[in-house]
Amino acid sequence: MLADPLTNKGTAFTAAERDALGLHGLLPPHVGTLDSQIARRRRVLDGMADDFHRYAFLRELQDSNEVLFHALVQADLPRLLPLVYTPTVGEGCERFSEIWRRPRGLFLSYPNRTRIADILADPALDRVKVIVVSDGERILGLGDQGAGGMGIPIGKLALYTACAGIHPAEVLPILLDVGTDNAARRDDPLYVGWRNPRIRGAEYDAFVEDFVAAVHARFPGVLLQWEDFAGKNAYDLLERYRGRLLSFNDDIQGTAATATGTLLAAIRRTGQPLTDQRIVLFGAGAAGSGIAEMLVRALIAAGLDEAAARQRIWAVDRDGLVLSDIPRLPPQQAALARDPTELAGWTMAPGRIGLLETVVNVRPTVLIGASGQMGAFGEPVIRAMAAGCERPVIFPLSNPISRAEAHPADLLAWTGGRALVGTGSPFGVAGVTQVNNVYIFPGVGLGALAAGATAVTDGMFMAAAETLGSLGDAGDGSLLPPITALRAVALRIAVAVAAQAVRDGVATMPADALAAERIAAQMWLPVYD
Ligand SMILES: O=C([O-])CC(=O)C(=O)O
Ligand SMILES: [Mg+2]
C-alpha cells in the first residue's frame, strides 16, 4: 500500500486503515489530511532554488503518491502546470537520465521488439484508456532527446488527469526507444536509453506497426496520442493509423486547433473577419503545416473556396518563402506553396525571400511562429508588420521558452502595445495569451472517449477549435480563459467533440451519454478513497 503510488496515502492513512492494513510503525504516529500534506509539499517547493529542481521533486512525488501529486497540481494550476509541463519539462527531458529514480510508463526499446505484447500483458495495465507515445526525436523545439523524451508522455498524461479528470490508473506513457542521433546523449555515461543511432526506414516502420498491433489487441478502444515525433514520421504515422486506432497527433492537430481557436478569439476582438486576414506562418514543419491546413478549413467554413482560402496564407520555412518552383518540397509544404509569379511587384533585394521580405510585401495581419527558432521575430520584422496593420496578431508558439520566436514584452514594445500576442509557453507577461495545446487535447480526448469514438475526425478538431474560440477570456486582455478554468474548458470542448463524433458517424455511445453532466460525472478529482 505504501510502495504503490496509486494506493499510498502517506501520513493520511487513518487509524482504522492502519489497523486493518497493518501499517502501524511504518508511519509516524501523526494522522494528516490531504490539505496538510499539500501544505508540507508547498513549503518544500517554495524553498527550492529553481524550477528544474521543483520539476524533479514533483516527479518523485508523483511516483510516491499520485493523489497528493494531483491534489497539489489541482490546488494551484497556474503555478504547477509550468513546473509539471512546458516550459520546465523541456529541461526535464534533456536531463532525464540525471534525475532518473523510478520507472513510470513503458520503455519499448528496439532490442525488445519481439516482446511488446508480453510487456503490454501486465495486469497492472488493465485499466488503461489513454496512451501518449513519443519516440523522442522532436522534443518540443529541443530536437532529439532519445529516451529522455519520456518526460513528454508523462507530462501530457499528468495534464489529462489534471484537466480532463482521467484517473491516473487509466493513463499510460510510452517511449519507443529506437536509439538517438543526439551524440551528447549517447556519449553520456549516465544515459538510460538504448545507445544506438536511430533505427529508420523499413525497420522503424515495422517496429511501430508491431507496437500498434499489440496496442490494438491489448487495449481495444484506447485513445492514443502521438507526441513529438519528427516531421515526416509525425505525418506518416498519423495518416497510417488514424483509421485503425482511435488516435491523433497533438503537434499537428492539437497545435492547429489551439492556434485556430485563439485566432478566432482574436478576430472577435478586432472585429475583422477571418476571410480578410493575411496570414504569414513561419515554420512549416508538422506543427506549422498542421496549423495552415486547419486555417484553410476555417477559411472555407467562413465562405471562401479552397483556392481563395490558400491565397490568405504565406508559409516561410528554413529556406525562405515556400514557392512552388522549389524542388522536392514535402507534400505538406507543396500544398502551401505560392506561385513565384505572384512576386512580381514585390520590393526586395535579389536572393532568398526571408521572413522580413515576406512581411514587408504581404503586410500580414497575423504572424504565427512554429519554427523552434529563438528570436526569429526580430524588431525589423515586427515593426514592418505593425506599420501595415492596426492590431497585429502575433503568436510565437515554439516551446520551451528558449525556442520562442520572440519575447512577448518585446512584441508589445515594438508595436506600441497594439499587438494581440499569444505564446506557446507561459511568460507571465500581463495581457499575453498562452496558446498551448493544453487548451485542446484534454477535451478532445475526453470527448472522444465519452462518445466511444472509433476515430478522431478533422471535424472533431474543428469543433474543439470553434469552442475554444467562443469561450471568452479571463478579462485581463488575454484571448482565452485562464489556466484556472482548464477543467471547465476541457469539459466544454469534450461536449462539442462528442456531439461532432455523432454527426460524423464515428460515435458508438448513445446520445444521452454525451450530455455535459454525464461527462462531468466521469471526471476524477484527486481525493483519497
Ligand atoms: O508541449 C507543449 O507545450 C506543446 C507541444 O506539444 C510541443 O511544443 O510539442
Ligand atoms: Mg508536443
Side-chain angles (χ1 to χ4, degrees):
M1 296 296 285
L2 293 170
D4 181 347
L6 286 169
T7 56
N8 185 25
K9 304 183 184 180
T11 59
F13 277 113
T14 63
E17 287 169 336
R18 294 175 193 213
D19 291 342
L21 299 166
L23 297 177
H24 291 292
L26 297 175
L27 291 164
H30 166 77
V31 175
T33 61
L34 194 50
D35 286 342
S36 69
Q37 291 178 310
I38 291 173
R40 180 179 295 115
R41 302 300 177 140
R42 271 215 185 116
R43 195 176 302 174
V44 180
L45 283 178
D46 290 344
M48 293 186 116
D50 59 54
D51 284 350
F52 174 66
H53 287 93
R54 293 187 181 98
Y55 170 85
F57 172 78
L58 288 163
R59 284 284 303 104
E60 287 207 67
L61 176 59
Q62 184 180 18
D63 290 344
S64 70
N65 182 335
E66 296 218 37
V67 171
L68 177 52
F69 167 80
H70 280 292
L72 184 66
V73 169
Q74 204 59 240
D76 193 352
L77 284 173
R79 179 176 178 209
L80 271 290
L81 249 44
L83 296 176
V84 167
Y85 174 63
T86 28
T88 320
V89 69
E91 200 174 348
C93 290
E94 292 174 309
R95 297 171 67 181
F96 185 81
S97 294
E98 182 188 328
I99 57 166
W100 165 267
R101 296 292 179 273
R102 281 177 59 151
R104 166 169 294 269
L106 298 179
F107 289 86
L108 301 179
S109 61
Y110 191 72
N112 274 332
R113 62 190 173 283
T114 59
R115 300 195 177 101
I116 297 175
D118 287 350
I119 295 170
L120 296 186
D122 184 346
L125 306 179
D126 282 352
R127 293 177 59 187
V128 168
K129 279 191 189 162
V130 184
I131 290 171
V132 175
V133 62
S134 182
D135 72 357
E137 191 173 6
R138 194 239 67 182
I139 292 302
L140 309 176
L142 301 170
D144 187 350
Q145 299 301 325
M150 181 57 129
I152 295 294
I154 291 173
K156 293 262 164 166
L157 286 165
L159 301 187
Y160 264 104
T161 302
C163 305
I166 309 291
H167 191 283
E170 295 173 349
V171 304
L172 180 61
I174 297 183
L175 191 283
L176 301 178
D177 189 353
V178 292
T180 177
D181 291 345
N182 182 333
R185 295 292 166 273
R186 256 187 357 239
D187 297 344
D188 176 356
L190 294 185
Y191 181 61
V192 296
W194 182 44
R195 278 163 215 272
N196 206 80
R198 277 186 181 271
I199 298 295
R200 298 196 181 275
E203 288 162 323
Y204 176 90
D205 288 344
F207 180 64
V208 179
E209 172 67 30
D210 289 351
F211 162 69
V212 169
V215 165
H216 192 59
R218 171 69 165 102
F219 307 114
V222 79
L223 173 76
L224 182 140
Q225 173 167 326
W226 304 100
E227 190 75 47
D228 289 9
F229 285 76
K232 184 167 169 7
N233 286 336
Y235 271 99
D236 291 352
L237 297 178
L238 173 64
E239 290 313 324
R240 195 173 305 152
Y241 295 117
R242 64 185 298 187
R244 271 171 62 187
L245 206 62
L246 178 64
S247 57
F248 66 90
N249 181 298
D250 183 44
D251 303 297
I252 299 173
Q253 299 163 287
T255 305
T258 310
T260 302
T262 314
L263 182 54
L264 294 175
I267 63 173
R268 272 173 196 244
R269 184 77 56 86
T270 64
Q272 273 190 347
L274 186 62
T275 47
D276 287 357
Q277 306 300 319
R278 291 182 302 276
I279 302 166
V280 168
L281 189 74
F282 184 61
S289 29
I291 293 169
E293 289 310 318
M294 187 147 208
L295 290 174
V296 168
R297 283 180 70 97
L299 285 158
I300 292 171
L304 299 185
D305 66 28
E306 181 171 347
R310 292 192 183 278
Q311 287 290 309
R312 310 307 307 174
I313 300 172
W314 289 259
V316 180
D317 204 42
R318 231 172 264 115
D319 301 321
L321 182 63
V322 177
L323 292 168
S324 56
D325 61 354
I326 297 176
R328 287 181 300 280
L329 278 179
Q332 313 78 251
Q333 292 195 8
L336 298 172
R338 306 292 300 218
D339 190 326
T341 58
E342 293 176 48
L343 306 186
W346 278 35
T347 48
M348 60 195 176
R352 176 177 168 282
I353 307 160
L355 180 61
L356 180 59
E357 292 78 10
T358 305
V359 166
V360 164
N361 288 285
V362 169
R363 295 182 303 112
T365 56
V366 179
L367 176 61
I368 298 176
S371 67
Q373 283 184 42
M374 183 184 139
F377 294 174
E379 185 167 352
V381 168
I382 299 306
R383 287 202 185 275
M385 181 176 180
C389 104
E390 188 46 42
R391 303 239 39 206
V393 176
I394 311 177
F395 296 165
L397 298 183
S398 293
N399 296 312
I401 282 171
S402 64
R403 298 300 151 122
E405 285 83 2
H407 194 292
D410 288 335
L411 298 177
L412 291 171
W414 299 332
T415 59
R418 287 183 288 129
L420 294 167
V421 179
T423 59
S425 292
F427 280 82
V429 176
V432 169
T433 308
Q434 197 190 334
V435 190
N436 192 281
N437 316 23
V438 67
Y439 278 101
I440 288 286
F441 72 80
V444 168
L446 183 63
L449 287 173
T454 53
V456 186
T457 63
D458 290 340
M460 287 155 75
F461 270 102
M462 187 58 85
E466 279 167 359
T467 304
L468 181 64
S470 72
L471 289 179
D473 52 68
D476 60 356
S478 80
L479 298 165
L480 297 177
I483 296 292
T484 48
L486 277 175
R487 259 178 109 88
V489 170
L491 179 58
R492 288 283 296 273
I493 290 179
V495 171
V497 165
Q500 187 65 38
V502 173
R503 281 193 288 276
D504 288 348
V506 296
T508 60
M509 293 296 281
D512 64 342
L514 309 184
E517 320 73 74
R518 291 285 293 276
I519 297 178
Q522 295 165 23
M523 292 169 73
W524 180 78
L525 269 170
V527 289
Y528 290 126
D529 288 337

